[in-house]
Amino acid sequence: MHGPASPGWLLVALCAATGAYCLLRMRSPVEEQRRTAGAEALMGFGMAAMAVPAAAATPPRWTWFAYAAVFGAAAVRALWSARTSPHHLHHLVGACAMVYMAVAMAASPGHHGHAGGSGIPLMTGALLLYFAGYVLRSGARLLPAAATAGGSGTLGGTPRALGWGDRPELSQACRLSMGIAMVAMLVTL
């Protein structure tokens, strides 16, 4: 987004790495996992592109409208997919947050941030609360106590080798990383 350059590049690297891992997850034999991974890869790469520091590259105004259109389409797809899987409601909120940020960036091409003294807009505050809650919930799911109760990765009593794309704890860490990145992007909006 439009904060200092070093944290911006770290955010770009985090989001790009998350998007790349989500592409690996798309090789899963389970169709629902592939669909979810595809939506998360789009989100990761979109967030990486949006997080490039303004000092490095200032995209033309039409780029923000293109972001809004792409993530608007992703929101419609997530809404459609939410009929069968409630997890896609989170994808819907994420895609809508990306549309919101793109529109905000298009509306303020000359300066980035809020007008002096106006405070945090209601939508930004609501999205910050949602993603902060999501980060806390996702982080709690990764605690070691939860992992010991989860099982040993066996299939029918025999151990099975899980590929990088089929590790549930890695996909949860991926979602946690994107949630943290979304909070960081919303704060700098």
Side-chain angles (χ1 to χ4, degrees), residues 80-173:
W80 182 258
S81 297
R83 296 175 305 116
T84 58
S85 174
H87 176 71
H88 289 286
L89 290 173
H90 172 69
H91 293 159
L92 174 64
V93 173
C96 289
M98 292 294 281
V99 169
Y100 172 71
M101 288 189 291
V103 169
M105 298 307 289
S108 63
H111 73 288
H112 304 290
H114 305 296
S118 66
I120 297 175
L122 183 61
M123 180 61 82
T124 304
L127 288 169
L128 277 169
L129 284 174
Y130 173 81
F131 283 104
Y134 183 80
V135 164
L136 292 173
R137 184 172 160 251
S138 295
R141 286 183 171 185
L142 286 173
L143 292 175
T148 59
S152 62
T154 62
L155 180 62
T158 51
R160 65 180 173 104
L162 294 176
W164 281 98
D166 292 327
R167 302 296 304 222
E169 68 276 7
L170 288 177
S171 62
Q172 188 64 32

Side-chain angles (χ1 to χ4, degrees), residues 11 14 47 131 135 175-185:
L11 193 58
L14 174 71
M47 289 171 66
F131 283 104
V135 164
R175 292 181 189 118
L176 175 64
S177 297
M178 284 196 292
I180 291 169
M182 187 65 79
V183 168
M185 290 173 73

Side-chain angles (χ1 to χ4, degrees), residues 40-81:
E40 291 171 355
L42 174 67
M43 183 66 70
F45 288 126
M47 289 171 66
M50 193 178 274
V52 171
T58 303
R61 190 168 185 219
W62 63 265
T63 306
W64 301 116
F65 294 115
Y67 275 112
V70 167
F71 285 100
V76 170
R77 185 159 195 263
L79 181 61
W80 182 258
S81 297

